Amino acid sequence: MERQKAAVILIADGTEEMEFTITYDTLIRAGIDVVSVFVPEDSSAPHSVSPPIAKGSRGINIMPDSYLDRSQLSPDKYNLLVVPGGAKGADTISKNPIVKELVKEYYTAGKLLGFICNGSLTALTAGLPRQPLTSHPGVKSVLEKDFQYSEDPVVVSGNLITSRGPGTSFPFALTLVEKLLGRPKRAEIEKPMVFPENTPWVNAPTSK
């Protein structure tokens, strides 16, 4: 029997709430086991007993499931690692040394990486090879020198999936579902979400 798919979503103070919650919720709807992991601003800070509250970019408090612990997050345990945006949150996550090491390990292992908005900076800080990628327009100038920059809502490049911002959170999350579980599962969870008729990303083929 195939093991249930599992995903890690990183979160920090300043993470964009829509990109975090829409992705988390959509993956759960698809039956994926999801854990949210708090990344501290100070990478040398000791762990506490319980995860702190992460204060999002719009001031919404979110309780993460666990702390950042590299020994618990290896690619043999998970199928997907997600980095949401939000300027401050993405800066903290993308610069964290453990995160950079994990991203390299996931990429090399062929596991999925999902970066949205400023979270795409993680592709740069982790030293991923030049390939198609997108991000929030605000960090385009930082990324376009080292990647084949695109302004598509979602860009799929092998096991790297990137997206643009809060408004592309749904197609981003649904693409992650499709890459993990196939188009039938994506279609299955899209229907009860009741998107307006002619929503462009519903039933649209995923770019390769």
Side-chain angles (χ1 to χ4, degrees):
M1 183 176 178
E2 186 179 358
R3 190 175 67 175
Q4 181 180 6
K5 300 296 185 183
V8 177
I9 302 184
L10 302 180
I11 185 171
D13 287 329
T15 288
E16 213 295 321
E17 292 93 336
M18 289 175 63
E19 295 162 7
F20 174 84
T21 56
I22 289 171
T23 303
Y24 195 120
D25 179 280
T26 302
L27 295 175
I28 289 288
R29 287 170 186 261
I32 296 164
D33 185 15
V34 184
V35 61
S36 59
V37 174
F38 182 79
V39 180
E41 215 171 331
D42 179 1
S43 60
S44 65
H47 292 178
S48 299
V49 175
S50 301
I53 294 292
K55 189 170 185 177
S57 61
R58 300 302 181 271
I60 299 174
N61 292 328
I62 299 172
M63 174 69 82
D65 298 316
S66 66
Y67 270 103
L68 181 65
D69 183 345
R70 183 179 178 183
S71 68
Q72 298 301 313
L73 299 173
S74 58
D76 62 309
K77 294 181 172 70
Y78 295 93
N79 307 96
L80 166 66
L81 176 66
V82 178
V83 179
K88 180 182 176 184
D91 184 67
T92 294
I93 294 171
S94 67
K95 291 179 178 177
N96 184 279
I98 293 176
V99 171
K100 290 189 280 188
E101 291 170 0
L102 285 171
V103 167
K104 292 175 190 174
E105 290 175 8
Y106 274 67
Y107 188 81
T108 301
K111 297 300 181 76
L112 290 182
L113 292 167
F115 303 154
I116 181 169
C117 193
N118 285 27
S120 294
L121 289 170
T122 314
L124 180 64
T125 58
L128 296 189
R130 182 178 180 85
Q131 60 192 296
L133 166 151
T134 192
S135 71
H136 189 275
V139 293
K140 174 182 177 179
S141 61
V142 181
L143 293 167
E144 62 184 349
K145 299 185 292 294
D146 295 278
F147 295 91
Q148 296 163 244
Y149 197 87
S150 169
E151 296 187 355
D152 289 344
V154 180
V155 174
V156 178
S157 175
N159 58 328
L160 175 64
I161 296 95
T162 54
S163 190
R164 307 215 75 198
T168 63
S169 295
F170 278 112
F172 171 69
L174 289 165
T175 299
L176 296 177
V177 169
E178 180 177 342
K179 296 298 284 184
L180 280 176
L181 298 172
R183 284 196 60 77
K185 176 57 73 173
R186 172 176 177 160
E188 176 189 320
I189 68 168
E190 276 180 343
K191 186 175 181 180
M193 293 170 92
V194 197
F195 291 108
E197 188 175 355
N198 299 321
T199 298
W201 64 77
V202 176
N203 297 320
T206 300
S207 60
K208 301 301 179 186

